[in-house]
Amino acid sequence: MAYSEFLKIETAVKDLQLILDERTDLFIATEEVAPSEGLRALLEEHVPLALALNTEKARSEMIIAPVLWELRKQRPIGLFSGVEFNVDQSKGLNGVCDFLLSRDPEQFFVRAPVAAIVEAKNEDFKRGLAQCAAEMVAARMFNEREGSQMPAIYGAVTTGNLWKFLRLRSDRLSIDRREYHIDRIAKILGILLAIVSEDRE
């Protein structure tokens, strides 16, 4: 078993012994952060093309990656794409992650992961949520082993044009009630920056 084999959120919650909370507005009060003119122009050009092509590769390269690069420009973080993250194979917490964010800007290896970003395959958000939950549990276990205690691990599931955020605090998995469209890039950036900020509680 691997992250990609977690197909249903209800199965992930049961197998990983989580408590599910679907009624929370996680980031409603988070302040927006203006994107650079470069990112705004790029999205204006790339989003229609990525949606017309409608492939995961196009969405990843033309929308998701540029947003995460913008985040890295605004705050020094580790950004990993397509990296193997094998934490506990017996629990299915192994395999390749679409994107991992770390508070440590080290790029040679993963250190102190704080968020997992999962592309919703075939725009299947429910499957994406299950995979993201598994990666978040793995990140929490990894940090505990490395002595990098964090109050929460975060995640996002995205099709590129839609973003949905999660938070894992202890064994409680909170899934934001809201989805954010790429038109609200300032809000998405604000949330991502809040996630990777050292003072985030």
Side-chain angles (χ1 to χ4, degrees):
M1 193 167 177
Y3 303 119
S4 60
E5 295 179 48
F6 284 91
L7 305 179
K8 296 181 178 179
I9 186 63
E10 55 265 36
T11 303
V13 166
K14 180 180 178 182
D15 291 353
L16 299 171
Q17 299 180 318
L18 302 175
I19 300 165
L20 184 62
D21 174 12
E22 305 173 69
R23 300 181 300 247
T24 305
D25 285 315
L26 290 177
F27 296 101
I28 195 167
T30 301
E31 292 184 14
E32 297 185 354
V33 173
S36 65
E37 285 305 312
L39 178 63
R40 196 178 291 280
L42 186 147
L43 291 177
E44 189 173 327
E45 182 178 355
H46 285 192
V47 169
L49 177 58
L51 299 183
L53 291 172
N54 201 27
T55 66
E56 290 164 23
K57 184 173 174 61
R59 290 167 181 263
S60 178
E61 293 177 351
M62 296 182 184
I63 307 175
I64 302 169
V67 169
L68 298 180
W69 276 114
E70 174 83 0
L71 173 66
R72 194 170 189 271
K73 280 193 240 178
Q74 298 211 19
R75 183 177 295 273
I77 59 167
L79 170 56
F80 301 89
S81 174
V83 66
E84 277 199 21
F85 191 55
N86 300 323
V87 176
D88 189 336
Q89 191 168 355
S90 68
K91 295 182 178 178
L93 303 179
N94 61 284
V96 175
C97 296
D98 293 328
F99 296 94
L100 281 177
L101 305 181
S102 169
R103 285 187 180 153
D104 192 310
E106 171 66 58
Q107 282 298 151
F108 283 105
F109 52 87
V110 177
R111 183 184 291 169
V114 69
I117 314 292
V118 173
E119 298 170 34
K121 309 299 185 281
N122 300 314
E123 301 185 59
D124 186 345
F125 260 88
K126 288 188 177 179
R127 181 174 178 179
L129 291 171
Q131 181 177 335
C132 191
E135 292 179 15
M136 292 164 68
V137 170
R140 182 188 65 188
M141 290 176 63
F142 179 92
N143 287 339
E144 288 171 353
R145 289 178 189 170
E146 296 296 313
S148 301
Q149 299 292 343
M150 294 186 188
I153 298 292
Y154 293 87
V157 178
T158 179
T159 60
N161 58 319
L162 287 176
W163 295 67
K164 194 169 187 70
F165 293 93
L166 305 85
R167 181 184 67 202
L168 179 64
R169 182 173 284 165
S170 186
D171 293 322
R172 177 173 289 274
L173 177 69
S174 300
I175 301 176
D176 201 332
R177 293 196 311 175
R178 298 173 186 268
E179 292 176 358
Y180 296 93
H181 192 274
I182 196 64
D183 286 349
R184 299 193 63 195
I185 183 58
K187 182 69 172 182
I188 292 169
L189 274 177
I191 293 170
L192 290 170
L193 277 166
I195 285 172
V196 299
S197 295
E198 289 292 342
D199 58 353
R200 177 73 186 177
E201 292 297 331

